[in-house]
Amino acid sequence: MTSTFESVADVVERFAAQGYIADRRLATTVYLLCRLGKPVLLEGPAGVGKTEMSKALANATGRRLLRLQCYEGQDESRALYDWDYGKQLLYTQMLREKIGEIVADAPDLATAVTRIGDQDSVFFSDRFLAPRPVLEAIRSTEPTVLLVDEIDRADEALEAVLLECLAEYQVSVPEIGTYTASVLPYVVLTSNSTRDLSAALKRRCLHLFLDYPDAERELEIVRSKHTGLPDALAVQLVGVVRELRGLGLRKNPGISETVDWARALAVLGAEELDAQLLAETVNVVLKYERDLQRALEVLPRLALGQHDDDRYEHPPFEDEPDGRAVRAAMDQPGRHEIGYRLPADAGERPRSGAGQGQRAFSAAVRRRTRQQR
Ligand SMILES: Nc1ncnc2c1ncn2[C@@H]1O[C@H](COP(=O)(O)OP(=O)(O)O)[C@@H](O)[C@H]1O
Ligand SMILES: [Mg+2]
């Protein structure tokens, strides 16, 4: 398998071989990602194939996929690297005698502590480093695809840290030094747009808004999944799903829901899509009661092929979150050590310019102390 793509058409073809139907715009972005070595940022609603795209990219290029799933409250020790506390403690226990020798003739506690401190570098070395996906991708000597999935769930501070690493393809570990990628990973970031991302991140990336596919491509995807649903019904079903997406529902059905619905109908042996059958199975794709109610009102018309007349009649639900507000609320100060605002719990944490190593190590000690209480 050749690892780079020869052309945009080559991307389309090799993605299709992996079961991923890419349109020209997406394929062009992927081609540029590989050629320019720039990260790609895919934004769009849930279920349009953002995560799947990275898997297809990894498979099509024979690269190993490293995935960082973002979540609220995540910090660098989950994203970049951490220290293997367990191993550090095991080593200190096994080396107890040796450590005893070092401090044996220390006249006082302060001297003993200094002597132990002089040995820090042994315990904050490569041997005790626990790389997380970002550092793993940077250090890997074999080519990788790094997927930073749903970055909008993480907060702004982690976003900035990631940006810094991805801009230079570097991760700095204060106790060891800076790791620089020898083989550039293909980096894909995804966002479900629950909040705005920073302009800096967008500038740094090839940005692509991935929306629901057009009817033709969605049908192609459904066909490619061999759902067992007769083709004429698949055509009709794709039309129905597209109409549902126009209703301003709280959670629009994604591509996987269309495929699931097709599979469900096939299992039920559907021969035609009448209003009753659609109503009996629409819960496969809609997961909120009020979405369901809304859909049930219009399904009789959709089943008759009367599309469009009901579109946008209802305004979207009003509790749609405002991206900026959500982002501001998530960005609590103090969850990141380096260069960010002082934490609310400053009293509890070791601050004095502590590098990640000390932070992680003392966190482990704190955990142990708590457990022993
Ligand atoms: N272009 C596509 N070609 C084939 N299958 C797709 C495509 N887009 C989405 N899918 C299907 O939809 C599912 C959901 O896609 P996913 O990547 O999880 O969505 P997202 O990450 O955007 O929420 C995938 O598991 C895949 O089966
Ligand atoms: Mg996803």
Side-chain angles (χ1 to χ4, degrees), residues 11-32:
V11 175
V12 173
E13 204 172 298
R14 278 160 62 184
F15 268 46
Q18 300 301 328
Y20 191 91
I21 316 295
D23 64 6
R24 202 65 207 170
R25 222 162 49 96
L26 176 64
T28 305
T29 307
V30 170
Y31 182 66
L32 292 176

Side-chain angles (χ1 to χ4, degrees), residues 19-22 45-53 192 217 221 224-225 255-256:
Y20 191 91
I21 316 295
V48 294
K50 300 185 297 297
T51 304
E52 195 72 11
M53 191 291 258
N192 286 344
R217 194 162 69 93
I221 294 170
S224 75
K225 304 285 177 189
I255 298 173
S256 43

